[in-house]
Amino acid sequence: MHYGLINAAEATIEVDNGLHRINERACFRATVTGKTTGSFDVFLRIRDTWRSYIDTTSIVPQRFFRNIEENNYRRRETVDFDHFNDMAQMERHGKDKNKIKRGTYKVPDNVQDLVSGFYFLRTLNYDQRRIGEVIRVQGFFDEDVFSMDVVYKGRETVETKAGTIRAIRLVPKMPSNKLFKGENAISVYLSDDRNKIPVLIQAEMFMGAVKVDMYKYQGLKSRLNIVAHN
């Protein structure tokens, strides 16, 4: 992750090799970890883990977990989803581990969490999508149900530290906020192949531009769609 010319942080997105059984369902385990690096780590130390157990058949989350460590702030949370009854059960621990918050929430059909929603977008066939078409994803996060519209912007070729890659561009519409500059502030690029892995994320923020750039990958099932240079 780059803030201007500064390397600010790095993240790893990983799918476990094996399957996990959650709520009597076979699940993929997808984990996102992020940490600050260099000078950013001195004044804004971040060590975050986000994990989703995603039903292999329906591509919805059976369980969502996050562990947040940002300077002195701590939060550890688990959400279990009951898709038969459209309910979510949350258990949360803060810095004081003796204080536990629990809650039960009504959620929409086929609700996603932040990690599983991204993997759901990777399962879609973009050959059958029109440029400008809106994909609506309903999710549950931080005790609230949210609806996110993602616009398919077509195909582009992008430069990354891992090479020049043919990619699918998606733009999630952002609500008005004090962080991102307009509703089209974020562009997510997925490799235009069977992997559909994230290769580049660009964000226009009020305090400047942020770029998340892939520099290494391993264990892909299919060949990455890298442009050959003569």
Side-chain angles (χ1 to χ4, degrees):
M1 178 179 173
H2 312 283
Y3 179 66
L5 298 176
I6 302 172
N7 290 335
E10 65 179 23
T12 302
I13 304 171
E14 181 181 10
V15 180
D16 191 68
N17 287 328
L19 295 179
H20 298 257
R21 200 153 190 90
I22 305 293
N23 300 333
E24 300 303 316
R25 302 286 297 178
C27 294
F28 301 113
R29 189 182 75 182
T31 303
V32 180
T33 55
K35 65 178 182 179
T36 45
T37 58
S39 59
F40 269 72
D41 203 39
V42 176
F43 63 88
L44 181 63
R45 188 180 189 276
I46 293 174
R47 298 291 187 273
D48 289 353
T49 300
W50 308 67
R51 178 173 294 140
S52 184
Y53 293 87
I54 305 169
D55 194 299
T56 59
T57 302
S58 54
I59 314 299
V60 294
Q62 292 293 336
R63 178 173 294 163
F64 173 69
F65 167 82
R66 61 174 171 151
N67 185 55
I68 307 300
E69 298 182 11
E70 299 176 358
N71 282 345
N72 292 324
Y73 179 80
R74 298 290 184 271
R75 175 177 286 189
R76 188 178 181 90
E77 180 181 287
T78 302
V79 179
D80 278 295
F81 292 93
D82 177 356
H83 292 281
F84 292 104
N85 297 301
D86 290 334
M87 302 296 292
Q89 289 188 324
M90 181 269 295
E91 181 175 298
R92 177 184 298 161
H93 303 255
K95 193 171 184 180
D96 184 349
K97 295 182 180 180
N98 294 321
K99 291 184 178 180
I100 302 173
K101 181 176 181 179
R102 295 183 176 91
T104 302
Y105 307 87
K106 184 71 175 174
V107 295
D109 286 341
N110 300 316
V111 71
Q112 300 285 348
D113 62 46
L114 291 184
V115 176
S116 68
F118 165 72
Y119 279 89
F120 165 74
L121 291 172
R122 292 177 58 200
T123 67
L124 302 180
N125 184 354
Y126 292 95
D127 292 336
Q128 300 175 359
R129 303 277 171 175
R130 304 182 310 276
I131 293 178
E133 186 173 345
V134 176
I135 304 156
R136 175 158 289 181
V137 180
Q138 289 190 298
F140 178 78
F141 177 69
D142 210 11
E143 302 179 58
D144 287 321
V145 172
F146 67 89
S147 182
M148 178 170 284
D149 290 341
V150 180
V151 183
Y152 169 56
K153 290 288 189 177
R155 288 169 159 87
E156 299 180 20
T157 300
V158 296
E159 299 284 342
T160 76
K161 290 186 179 296
T164 304
I165 300 173
R166 292 187 174 91
I168 295 162
R169 182 186 174 201
L170 302 177
V171 175
K173 287 188 176 182
M174 301 299 296
S176 180
N177 62 82
K178 297 180 181 179
L179 189 60
F180 295 104
K181 207 172 182 179
E183 69 172 14
N184 299 317
I186 300 177
S187 290
V188 179
Y189 295 86
L190 306 179
S191 61
D192 188 10
D193 50 38
R194 295 182 66 184
N195 301 297
K196 292 191 180 72
I197 61 170
V199 297
L200 180 67
I201 301 172
Q202 294 176 323
E204 293 296 327
M205 307 174 75
F206 287 108
M207 59 181 176
V210 171
K211 180 180 177 184
V212 183
D213 187 359
M214 182 183 73
Y215 69 91
K216 189 170 79 171
Y217 58 90
Q218 64 186 44
L220 302 185
K221 280 193 172 183
S222 302
R223 185 177 179 180
L224 195 63
N225 197 352
I226 294 180
V227 178
H229 294 289
N230 295 327

